């Protein structure tokens, strides 16, 4: 999450918003009111209709919402509201899922009363994959393998974020659970199982 979030008020003009996005190299900005409560977001997608509907071509029924934004000049006329947001305690996976489902590139991070605490972007989510292999392996050994109620005889190795578990696992019903637990470790790209008597690959 970026704690120094670029934000605007309801009265920010179209040109001010474009200039701010260009200056800070962001694709969207939260719209705030009062002491910092997020009431909407203006994204590049909200700004493009002004160019798209510049001419007097007929507007199709499914274009009415976009066409109405083409005449907007203030943030409150341009913004998408309510804003798609995420809470500070959300996991990276949850944030990524929201972005994918809502087709957004940036999420305002808000507390329990809707106050802006920061912004998480797609690039923030991808930074986790820069985590060193050694660090990933150490967490898997200490938090996943050592934390199991049933002792297991597995060795974990990590290369380029891909985790390989080798050894024996008495209860094969644990295979999908083990793979899921390893995938939950930040920075893991994929999981492979090389168990005795078990084909390579994870469920």
């Amino acid at each position: 999450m970026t704690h120094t979030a670029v934000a605007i008020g309801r009265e920010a003009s179209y040109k001010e918003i474009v200039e701010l996005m260009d200056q800070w190299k962001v694709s969207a900005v939260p719209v705030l009111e009062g002491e910092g409560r997020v009431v909407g977001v203006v994204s590049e997608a909200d700004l493009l209709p002004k160019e798209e509907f510049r001419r007097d071509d007929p507007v199709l029924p499914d274009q009415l919402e976009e066409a109405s934004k083409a005449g907007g000049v203030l943030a409150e006329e341009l913004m998408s509201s309510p804003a798609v947001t995420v809470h500070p305690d959300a996991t990276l996976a949850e944030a990524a899922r929201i972005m994918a489902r809502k087709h957004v590139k940036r999420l305002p991070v808000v507390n329990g009363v809707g106050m802006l605490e920061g912004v998480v972007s797609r690039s923030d989510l991808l930074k986790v994959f820069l985590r060193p292999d050694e660090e990933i392996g150490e967490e898997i050994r200490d938090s996943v393998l050592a934390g199991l109620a049933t002792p297991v005889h597995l060795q974990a190795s990590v290369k380029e974020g891909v985790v390989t578990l080798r050894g024996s696992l008495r209860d094969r019903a644990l295979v999908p659970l083990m793979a899921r637990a390893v995938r939950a470790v930040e920075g893991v790209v994929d999981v492979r199982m090389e168990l005795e008597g078990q084909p390579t690959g994870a469920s």
Side-chain angles (χ1 to χ4, degrees), residues 57-76:
D57 295 339
V59 177
L60 301 176
D62 61 349
Q63 296 177 314
L64 289 176
E65 184 176 352
E66 287 187 353
S68 67
K69 288 189 177 183
V73 294
L74 300 178
E76 62 183 0

Side-chain angles (χ1 to χ4, degrees), residues 82-105:
V84 179
T85 62
V86 68
H87 290 289
D89 58 354
T91 65
L92 292 177
E94 289 171 333
R97 195 175 301 118
I98 293 171
M99 284 186 183
R101 288 179 177 173
K102 299 296 185 178
H103 306 289
V104 296
K105 299 178 181 179

